[in-house]
Amino acid sequence: MENKIQLITYPDSLGGDLKNLNKVINKHFKDVIYGVHILPPFPSSSDRGFAPLTYFKIYEDFGDFEDIKEIGENHAIVLDIMINHISKESEYFQDFLNKGEKSKYADMFITLDKIWEDGIPVKSDVDKIFLRRSKPYSEFIIKETGERKLLWTTFGKNDPSEQIDIDINSPYTKELIDKIFKFFSENKVKMVRLDAVGYVIKKLGTSCFFVEPEIYDFLDDIKKTANLYNIELLPEIHSHYSIQYKLSEHGMYIYDFILPYVVLSTLIKKDNTLLVNYLKDRPEKQFTTLDCHDGIPVKPDLDDLIDSKEARDIVNICLERGASLSLIVSDEHKDKDGFDVHQIRCSYYSALSSNDDAYIAARAIQFFVPGIPQVYYVGLLAGENDEEAVKNTGEGREINRHNFTNEEIEECLKKDVVKRLFKIMKFRNEYDGFNGKFNNLKCENNKISMEWVKDNLKCTLDIDLKDYSTIINYIDEIGNNCSFKA
């Protein structure tokens, strides 16, 4: 993957479908976007694509794989595999639901007798699990026999869940994964994000999240499959930052899920201490983000990096600015004082009180910190909280999932903050100095200074946190000293 900025977007969020997405990118974002991470465009029964029925089709309202290939002609495509689960409406689970153990797909799912000998969950084991819902299983009735079956379901608001966990040890699952990678490769996909990969290992006596060393065995196997088809992997794991570092040591790309909160705190408190300390020891083979389709990570990503009192202060400021919260379910994984915020749900622009200068400073920091930057489509257009969508759907995450019409895109492009953002993005993509050596320069608590050096090229970012003024100085290819206010 080239060290240039990627866009994260739903297939229908910029113009309504994949054809329009391609037109919008080519018309408006050609100089500022290199790669495109298209959030799940597949037929899905819930969770806006994250409960896929199949990976071999595109939901018909979005287009088809020819549209994916067309985008891939000019942009590196990233797609998701929800490696932990599949929709209960998929042909695989529906066959199992009809036939039970007679189904050729039966072994693909995790009936609880694969975990507990008698198939009955034990409370002491469940209490140790990092829960994403009140219980990690759902009950289903097999249609042919009337037999009651309990199956592992990590995610899902409803009971029974729409998202059925799959058994990664099943030969059929392994065959299916291979087929998906082969198909993606044929359709110009360059990278696969392994969504929810931290939950794939189920082992009694553990949290059933990022279970070591088994998780590495799985990642090694799937990496071999991806390599066969020249596809790179990006594991998506929200956990203690030390786990991200372990993944990096294992040769994987990782997400910098720490940076969004650190930048937000730095700008709100007008103090660089947290950011400077974080940048002292950090893997460089990362994808950086500030915003995404879920929220700004807090726990467990930043455990041991921040204290809960400081975090409560930042969270409360975001709540005043219209945010909502995703909370930790398991008591065992909350802080001792009860602090339980998993993610802050809001647009990043709104989290910064729609302050243009603060927002530009935030993006400048992201683009200078080592890693491949990803910009979420709402952030690309400096979008604000969509409170109406939350009211209409009852889904808190919709606050940062507004679908922009072509007319709305045109209006957003007129905003001064968007023009300023695009100027920095274009510079970040074109200036070769970002492929050199990074230095985080020492400065006062209320200032930020970072630089990149490669041969005769050098660029420096200077931010004054008192007023968020942002200056980029650089030496061009013929040795001239240049500067611009971001």
Side-chain angles (χ1 to χ4, degrees), residues 275-277 279-280 438-442 448-451:
L275 178 65
V276 169
N277 289 337
L279 292 178
K280 286 178 181 176
F438 171 76
N439 296 306
N440 187 32
L441 304 177
K442 291 183 179 179
I448 292 170
S449 189
M450 305 176 185
E451 73 173 12

Side-chain angles (χ1 to χ4, degrees), residues 69-250:
K69 288 168 73 173
E70 191 171 340
I71 297 172
E73 290 291 336
N74 299 304
H75 305 279
I77 297 289
V78 183
L79 289 183
D80 292 87
I81 294 180
M82 277 52 74
I83 201 69
N84 178 72
H85 52 263
I86 201 161
S87 171
K88 75 173 185 180
E89 302 299 328
S90 67
E91 64 172 300
Y92 315 106
F93 188 70
Q94 284 298 305
D95 194 77
F96 171 76
L97 198 58
N98 283 320
K99 302 173 185 175
E101 296 304 321
K102 294 180 183 177
S103 168
K104 64 180 180 179
Y105 306 122
D107 190 50
M108 190 175 169
F109 303 103
I110 306 172
T111 51
L112 292 199
D113 55 12
K114 286 186 175 183
I115 309 296
W116 289 278
E117 191 172 339
D118 57 5
I120 299 174
V122 176
K123 185 178 185 301
S124 59
D125 291 326
V126 173
D127 287 344
K128 292 178 178 142
I129 297 170
F130 184 73
L131 296 174
R132 297 302 307 273
R133 57 201 303 266
S134 60
K135 57 185 181 181
Y137 55 88
S138 297
E139 179 180 325
F140 295 92
I141 305 298
I142 303 303
K143 293 177 182 177
E144 282 190 6
T145 63
E147 185 181 6
R148 172 178 172 267
K149 287 282 187 183
L150 294 179
L151 284 96
W152 198 288
T153 52
T154 298
F155 299 97
K157 292 174 63 176
N158 301 324
D159 200 13
S161 174
E162 285 282 340
Q163 293 153 300
I164 314 298
D165 285 42
I166 54 178
D167 187 347
I168 58 165
N169 297 308
S170 164
Y172 192 88
T173 299
K174 293 179 180 180
E175 181 184 336
L176 177 60
I177 290 170
D178 183 87
K179 288 179 179 177
I180 294 169
F181 274 98
K182 182 176 185 293
F183 182 72
F184 279 8
S185 176
E186 293 168 350
N187 286 277
K188 294 189 177 297
V189 176
K190 298 298 183 186
M191 174 173 267
V192 163
R193 185 178 77 152
L194 297 175
D195 179 75
V197 68
Y199 298 90
V200 297
I201 307 294
K202 281 75 175 174
K203 184 178 180 181
L204 292 187
T206 75
S207 66
C208 294
F209 181 85
F210 204 84
V211 178
E212 300 173 274
E214 289 87 345
I215 186 68
Y216 299 120
D217 295 334
F218 171 73
L219 287 171
D220 284 343
D221 284 345
I222 201 166
K223 192 174 182 180
K224 289 175 185 174
T225 302
N227 287 344
L228 287 175
Y229 300 108
N230 296 313
I231 289 177
E232 298 203 61
L233 295 180
L234 176 58
E236 184 264 348
I237 295 177
H238 281 286
S239 186
H240 191 276
Y241 70 92
S242 61
I243 285 180
Q244 301 285 7
Y245 290 11
K246 289 178 182 179
L247 282 172
S248 179
E249 290 169 3
H250 211 68

